[in-house]
Every structure is written in C-alpha cells, then in structure tokens.
Amino acid sequence: MTLKLYAHPLSSYCQKAKTAFYEKGVAFEEVMLDGSEPVASEFAALWPIGRFPALTDGTNEKDRRLVFDTTTIIEYLDVKYPDKPLIPADPDAAVEVRMWDRFFDNYINYPQQRLVYIAIGREPDDGKDGAKWKEQFDTAYAYLDRRMAGREWVASDSFSLADCSAAPALLYADWTYSIPKHFENLWAYRDRLLARPSYARALDEARPYRHYFPLGAPDGRD
C-alpha cells in the first residue's frame, strides 16, 4: 500500500481525513496510533511534532513523502487523485470551501477541545465552568444555523473539504456542549453529515473506542 495514514479512529481530525479518503474512494492503510510499539517509535521518528493524523506516500524510505495537517492531507488527495474533488476548481469557490474548513477547526473544534481539557484538568478553568468557550459555541451555533437555512452543504453545492471538517467537529461539539434543539437548520445539517456514507464509515470505525471520550459518549446522539 502506497498511502499510510497514521491515525486513531476516535480523533476528530483523523475522522475528517478518513472521510475524505472514503468520499474519494482512495485506498490507504491505517496505522493505529495507540501508544504501542513499534508504531509509536516509528511515528516519533517520522514526525517528531507528534500531531496526528499524518500521511506518508511511497514505499521507498528515501523517496517517501510526509504530509502533515489534516487539511493539507485532503488538499494532497485532491491533487493526486482529482476524481470527485473536495475543493472546487474555481478559485473563488475554493476560497469559500477553505474558509469554512477553517471555521470548523477554529471555532468549533478549538472551543470543544478547551472544554474537554478543562473538564479533565489539563487546562485551568476561569472559575466560570468554561463560560468563555461556551459563549463562543453559542455564537458559532447561531451563525451556523443561519448559514444552513436553505442549504444542503455548508460551502458548496456538493460535499466538500468543509463538510469533511464539519462532520466530526459537530459530532463532538454536541457531545461536549449540546446544540440547542431550536437550531433546526444546524441539526438537519448535522444529521445529513452523520448519514453521509463516507463519514458514517469513519464513525463506525470509531465506535469501539467511544468509551475513551473523556466526557462520556452520550447515547442516541451519534
């Protein structure tokens, strides 16, 4: 197998990357990062920064290419495997997709991770139960609900990089700080994302590890 994705199925960013692979029908080998050897040492030598997922392309170590950062991995897939593009060819439309990809990473994933870290003691709280991050969620949820009025996908007429980002981000966001039920457009979008075969497959592969979610995976909201 030429493409190796170093990942853990429960990670939102790994799910984002895997959704792109499945959406495009590109075969890859998933290398499980669970702290066990020899993979842990192999990954540390390959990518000392240690953030995952990371992708390698090529079987010859001398010519093997490393691609890190989830968005960049998906960009690389679109370049190497242009069928079923996840980033539009039109430059203006591509800007819109890339912008919304950043929205989910920066304004959904980031506050979600901060709340989890506060809950497990990895980051100090402000004494207000993460109120700063919850306020950011309230703003982002309301903005997304308005955005999704009359839309199927968030940034394009077709499923895109931005939707690959949105699917796991909204899954874990709701687990962490529930999306209010009155945001019907946002809920309908989340339901479409979870039903998308490419993301549903990535999510199914994460199910055996749900008990590792620090706040507890809620029933009936997957």
Side-chain angles (χ1 to χ4, degrees):
M1 183 68 67
T2 299
L3 296 173
K4 287 186 176 182
L5 185 70
Y6 291 80
H8 190 285
L10 193 63
S11 159
S12 61
Y13 289 104
C14 295
Q15 290 177 21
K16 172 181 170 180
K18 290 169 68 175
T19 298
F21 276 99
Y22 296 148
E23 189 72 25
K24 293 173 70 65
V26 175
F28 68 101
E29 177 186 348
E30 184 173 6
V31 182
M32 172 71 81
L33 293 173
D34 59 4
S36 62
E37 296 291 356
V39 173
S41 295
E42 175 188 328
F43 183 62
L46 175 71
W47 178 225
I49 299 298
R51 300 292 295 273
F52 53 82
L55 178 72
T56 60
D57 188 0
T59 55
N60 186 322
E61 185 172 347
K62 179 181 177 181
D63 301 320
R64 183 176 59 187
R65 184 170 185 176
L66 170 68
V67 184
F68 53 82
D69 182 81
T70 312
T71 295
T72 309
I73 289 170
I74 297 174
E75 295 249 17
Y76 182 74
L77 289 179
D78 252 21
V79 170
K80 299 289 284 187
Y81 303 91
D83 289 348
K84 296 189 70 175
L86 294 169
I87 302 168
D90 176 73
D92 190 54
V95 167
E96 189 79 1
V97 166
R98 291 186 174 100
M99 178 179 72
W100 280 98
D101 168 66
R102 304 321 305 142
F103 179 92
F104 288 104
D105 279 1
N106 292 329
Y107 308 123
I108 299 293
N109 263 329
Y110 189 78
Q112 185 269 331
Q113 291 174 342
R114 303 285 74 72
L115 288 177
V116 169
Y117 288 163
I118 288 170
I120 65 176
R122 284 186 58 180
E123 287 188 9
D125 194 4
D126 54 8
K128 300 178 181 178
D129 193 30
K132 170 185 176 180
W133 305 114
K134 292 175 181 178
E135 288 171 6
Q136 289 194 18
F137 262 134
D138 290 335
T139 300
Y141 285 161
Y143 189 71
L144 270 172
D145 189 65
R146 294 194 299 271
R147 170 70 177 180
M148 294 312 301
R151 299 185 63 90
E152 183 177 15
W153 307 114
V154 73
S156 178
D157 291 337
S158 58
F159 190 90
S160 73
L161 161 67
D163 303 299
C164 291
S165 184
L170 290 174
L171 176 85
Y172 289 123
D174 180 59
W175 286 11
T176 303
Y177 184 65
S178 299
I179 300 171
K181 292 299 182 183
H182 65 270
F183 289 140
E184 295 180 0
N185 299 319
L186 177 52
W187 269 104
Y189 176 49
R190 184 180 182 275
D191 289 344
R192 285 193 295 276
L193 291 169
L194 268 61
R196 186 77 176 184
S198 55
Y199 182 62
R201 181 176 175 183
L203 185 55
D204 280 345
E205 291 168 354
R207 292 186 193 282
Y209 308 96
R210 286 166 61 93
H211 61 285
Y212 289 121
F213 185 69
L215 306 184
D219 293 330
R221 294 219 305 274
D222 57 347

